[in-house]
Amino acid sequence: MAYWLFKSEPDVWGWDHQVAKGDAGEEWHGVRNYLARNNMRAMKIGDLGFFYHSNIGKEIVGIVEICAESHPDSTTDDPRWDCVDIRAVRPLMRPVTLAEVKADPRLQEMALVKSMRLSVQPVTAEEWRIVCGLGGVDP
DNA sequence: GCCAACGTTGGC
DNA sequence: GCCAACGTTGGC
């Protein structure tokens, strides 16, 4: 079981869109970055991820689950780009802002802090537990 | 809207 | 294969 973090601009694709897709989930397409793609290739069904809103809000708002493993990205013919499908599991009771993450000495190693621009990031079990605690949900 | 960080592209 | 130019991301 691994943990991840997905970033999206909420005015393009936000948590509400994700929730509206229900259990069927949705392709996390459009990623054109090798490191982010490699992270998706490493994902297994049942892995969990945080859903982060960049630009607007700048906060972790919910938890998603991988519901389809890596497959070709349907939005391009370029064979380099794969993606997974994710579905919304539940919102955080309280969003965890980027400022909170940056201010928490236990979270200084998070990719969200150290690799700010990476759009699909790994999260450690420890970080998962801490952020869930801040967000008011069970890990 | 600005600008720093950083990934990608393309010439050599 | 190196590296400068360029484009994009995303916080502020």
Side-chain angles (χ1 to χ4, degrees):
Chain A
M1 166 68 115
Y3 301 101
W4 310 94
L5 182 143
F6 296 86
K7 291 203 303 199
S8 186
E9 299 186 38
D11 51 348
V12 177
W13 183 262
W15 175 250
D16 290 344
H17 297 105
Q18 190 66 49
V19 169
K21 283 289 174 177
D23 287 344
E26 174 74 0
E27 244 189 3
W28 197 255
H29 52 231
V31 172
R32 301 291 182 266
N33 172 283
Y34 291 106
L35 203 48
R37 181 207 63 189
N38 291 346
N39 285 336
M40 289 197 287
R41 285 183 174 175
M43 293 176 189
K44 302 293 183 197
I45 287 179
D47 280 359
L48 297 175
F50 288 127
F51 194 105
Y52 175 80
H53 281 170
S54 63
N55 288 323
I56 301 168
K58 285 168 289 185
E59 56 194 9
I60 298 167
V61 293
I63 291 174
V64 295
E65 178 182 12
I66 311 307
C67 60
E69 291 180 13
S70 185
H71 57 80
D73 184 330
S74 71
T75 62
T76 178
D77 290 331
D78 192 327
R80 291 178 298 172
W81 305 119
D82 297 333
C83 62
V84 296
D85 291 6
I86 63 175
R87 66 177 184 85
V89 175
R90 62 178 169 221
L92 297 188
M93 295 288 291
R94 207 176 59 77
V96 177
T97 66
L98 179 62
E100 282 179 88
V101 170
K102 285 185 168 178
D104 194 315
R106 300 169 299 173
L107 297 175
Q108 294 310 296
E109 296 300 312
M110 269 193 89
L112 198 58
V113 176
K114 299 190 79 173
S115 308
M116 188 247 283
R117 293 184 52 194
L118 184 59
S119 61
V120 180
Q121 312 178 346
V123 173
T124 68
E126 174 86 356
E127 291 159 354
W128 184 266
R129 193 177 54 72
I130 294 167
V131 174
C132 283
L134 294 173
V137 296
D138 293 332

